[in-house]
Every structure is written in structure tokens, then in C-alpha cells.
Amino acid sequence: MNQSDCSGKTLKLWPVFVDHFTPDAADGNSKTEYTAWGLSSLLSYQNKSGLIVDLASDVAIYDGNVSTDLRGSEVADINATSFSGSVDIGYRFNLGDHQLTPTAGVGIQYLQVDDFTDTDNTKVHYDDITRPTVRLGMRYRYDWDTANAGKWAITANTLFIKDLSDDMTLEIGDKYSNVSNSFRSGAAGSSAMIDLGIISNPVPNVSLNTGLQYQHRLEDEGVDYWQAVAGVKISF
């Protein structure tokens, strides 16, 4: 243990947030708005030699509502639960106050969507989704100290995620009969991500984080999105 300069655990509470998706569909636009609650954890080991190992996991629950241009609001109520975990290994290079850390890792995501019945009394069933991934990234960090405002840092991270999952089955059927149709939903798809952030450390072991994140899909499947994030990290 005396060979490491930082080894600890980090717990993060996600704020409750509301988001929505509006896909372009052949039979008219639909919109899904959901609220999510989540909890994540990070176990990080950093050796003086520059070796870094990060073990991350999170759990989240979602409460969503689907509306369409043709049918209006409350077409369907969707509830889901997700779990994910990842292991990333990197090596940090110090160039004065600048740090560069190439990383490689693997991850897995699991999503379970509850069966539901829509406003037309149609039953909907999603297969559980298990998504293994391979991850390659580069992290950048620049640190500086101030006399009165504590320590600060600027970060810039890039991450390539290769999706290794298969598509899943979606079954839609009449509530009052045994007639149903099965569809293939498509895989999640590979993606590239970049995020920029500012970190402030007003007191030891506590950091305030703000930043912007953008993800771009690299295949037909997937989602392009951007988001602003803010949070507090407590290390021990």
C-alpha cells in the first residue's frame, strides 16, 4: 500500500432529472419524457508509477410517459431499472502541471423494462437488455492553485465505446387475445464521447464539478446527445 499515492472510494448521488426523446417515426412523431433517480460509485487506485485502475458501477430507476402527435399525452407509462459496471486501466504521464492518461477497459450495462399496457389496451413486452462494451479513452487534466480560492483543475476526456451486444425482441399484443407480433429493436450502437469540466477543491477530499458532455453515435443505432452536469464528489 505504501507504493500508492491515492487509493479510495467515491460515492455520487445523481440529482433527480427529467429528460425527453423525440424520434422521427414513419407514422408520426412520438415523445418520451422520463424522470430518473440514480446512485453511482467509483473505486479508484492510483500508483506513484502512473498506473490507474477505476472500477465504476451505478443503478438507476426510470419513470417515463409516452405521448404522440396523433394520440396526445399519456399514451403509455413506462418504468425501467438499469445497472452498469466498468473497469478502466490507464497510465498517467505528467508534463509539468499537465496530465495525460490513455485508458482501456470493458463495461457491461443491463436494462429491464417493465411490461405495460398502453391506452389502446395493447400489451407490450421488452426483452431484458445486456450490453457488453469495449472502451478506449484519453484523459487530460491541468491543475493550478490559488491563494484564496483553493485548488482548481480543467479536465477534457474523450472515450470511444464499441458495442458488442445483439438486438433485442419487442413483443406487442392484444390484451384480450393471444395474438402478438415480435419485432427486433436494434442494438444500442457504438459511440464516441467528449466532456469538458472545471473542478474546484475548496477543502480537502471535497470537490465541486461542473461540465459539458457530448456523445455522437458511430452507427445507425444509438443516440446523439449533449448534457450539462454538476455535482459534488467526496473521497475517503
Side-chain angles (χ1 to χ4, degrees):
M1 295 298 293
N2 58 359
Q3 294 297 316
S4 63
D5 58 6
C6 179
S7 179
K9 300 177 181 178
T10 300
L11 294 177
K12 297 180 181 178
L13 283 174
W14 298 356
V16 176
F17 64 91
V18 178
D19 208 342
H20 65 271
F21 293 96
T22 306
D24 294 324
D27 57 350
N29 289 336
S30 62
K31 180 178 179 180
T32 301
E33 183 172 331
Y34 65 88
T35 303
W37 297 264
L39 175 67
S40 65
S41 66
L42 174 65
L43 175 62
S44 182
Y45 170 81
Q46 299 183 22
N47 191 275
K48 288 184 177 180
S49 66
L51 176 67
I52 295 175
V53 181
D54 290 337
L55 177 62
S57 63
D58 66 68
V59 57
I61 57 175
Y62 306 88
D63 182 12
N65 177 70
V66 178
S67 61
T68 68
D69 290 348
L70 296 177
R71 304 301 303 277
S73 62
E74 299 184 1
V75 174
D77 181 41
I78 301 178
N79 296 284
T81 305
S82 70
F83 306 91
S84 68
S86 63
V87 178
D88 292 287
I89 299 175
Y91 193 87
R92 183 183 67 243
F93 298 91
N94 293 316
L95 302 172
D97 294 330
H98 304 268
Q99 296 180 1
L100 288 175
T101 308
T103 63
V106 295
I108 191 166
Q109 297 176 332
Y110 172 80
L111 175 66
Q112 184 268 321
V113 181
D114 294 346
D115 294 349
F116 63 91
T117 302
D118 67 14
T119 189
D120 294 322
N121 287 323
T122 300
K123 296 184 296 183
V124 180
H125 168 77
Y126 285 88
D127 278 353
D128 295 346
I129 305 172
T130 301
R131 183 194 181 208
T133 59
V134 175
R135 304 149 56 92
L136 294 175
M138 176 67 73
R139 305 174 186 175
Y140 168 79
R141 180 179 175 120
Y142 172 73
D143 291 275
W144 80 95
D145 291 340
T146 63
N148 300 319
K151 296 182 178 180
W152 292 78
I154 295 176
T155 63
N157 303 314
T158 60
L159 183 65
F160 167 74
I161 302 175
K162 174 61 178 178
D163 180 68
L164 303 177
S165 63
D166 195 4
D167 54 4
M168 69 171 185
T169 299
L170 167 62
E171 295 182 358
I172 301 177
D174 192 317
K175 180 179 180 180
Y176 302 106
S177 71
N178 294 322
V179 178
S180 64
N181 292 298
S182 296
F183 303 89
R184 306 303 293 179
S185 68
S190 303
S191 61
M193 182 183 300
I194 183 170
D195 67 70
L196 304 173
I198 298 178
I199 302 173
S200 171
N201 294 95
V203 296
N205 300 326
V206 176
S207 62
L208 307 178
N209 305 272
T210 59
L212 291 173
Q213 185 180 84
Y214 174 72
Q215 174 179 291
H216 181 73
R217 68 178 185 270
L218 302 178
E219 301 168 352
D220 290 339
E221 302 87 356
V223 175
D224 295 335
Y225 79 87
W226 69 271
Q227 64 178 353
V229 295
V232 178
K233 183 172 77 172
I234 301 174
S235 301
F236 57 93

